[in-house]
Amino acid sequence: MAGAGPAPSVKYWKTMALWQWTSVGRIDGHEGNLDCSIFYGDAAAWDKYIGLGNINKPLVSGFKHRVGEHVVFSTCYASSTDPNSKAIPASQMEKNHGVITKIQSGVRNPYLLDKELCWVNDGDIRGLYQEYTEQSYVVKSGDTLSKIAVKYGTTYQQLAKMNGIKNPDKIYTGQKIRVK
């Protein structure tokens, strides 16, 4: 980390799990400020803190997914009750994946991702993150959906359908698309 320096030494407080010691941290290769935090716990405590402690929790009746699953989405919503007309394309989000941290019954978009990222429904979820990353391609400068389709033995129409791409002529450098 450049500029922020090492985390200052602090006295341990039993009631504190996470402490943000600066909001102006810097890392080489990243533009802008970063939050720098210290978590007072081990990996198991972190998993519990972010909701992964429930990974073995059984499926909630009537739902295809469970708390703790790391999923990839094509669109998401700011609210659990937003209609399809308010869908936010994954390409407009900071990331296209998250861990299900809550399931709410009786709403259009029952799965909350990463405690606050966004809400999704079964139609938005494209698969589990691990499976998706193993069968995905990151778009490079000069790529077209047709070129990528040929490379993976499919059609541009199938890639567009699998990835929720409405206009096959609009893909972006750095965009991750599912290819299988």
Side-chain angles (χ1 to χ4, degrees), residues 78-141:
S79 161
S80 63
T81 58
D82 279 352
N84 289 348
S85 61
K86 291 195 173 190
I88 304 164
S91 61
Q92 293 179 9
M93 298 292 292
E94 184 177 324
K95 60 183 188 173
N96 69 340
H97 58 92
V99 175
I100 297 172
T101 51
K102 179 179 179 181
I103 300 175
Q104 185 173 327
S105 296
V107 293
R108 293 176 191 258
N109 314 301
Y111 305 109
L112 176 62
L113 302 181
D114 292 348
K115 293 194 178 196
E116 62 183 32
L117 176 65
C118 63
W119 294 84
V120 296
N121 59 54
D122 288 325
D124 302 313
I125 295 174
R126 295 295 173 240
L128 297 178
Y129 182 72
Q130 182 177 359
E131 293 170 2
Y132 185 84
T133 57
E134 291 170 356
Q135 300 176 32
S136 64
Y137 176 79
V138 177
V139 177
K140 295 175 182 64
S141 179

Side-chain angles (χ1 to χ4, degrees), residues 145 155-168 178:
L145 211 51
T155 65
Y156 78 88
Q157 295 94 333
Q158 184 61 29
L159 289 180
K161 182 179 177 182
M162 286 186 337
N163 290 281
I165 298 171
K166 290 187 171 120
N167 183 346
R178 185 175 179 189

Side-chain angles (χ1 to χ4, degrees), residues 45-46 89 100 146:
W46 177 255
I100 297 172
S146 294

Side-chain angles (χ1 to χ4, degrees), residues 47-48 51-58 66-68 101:
D47 287 350
K48 185 176 180 183
L52 291 180
N54 297 325
I55 195 71
N56 294 321
K57 188 173 182 179
R66 64 181 55 141
V67 168
T101 51

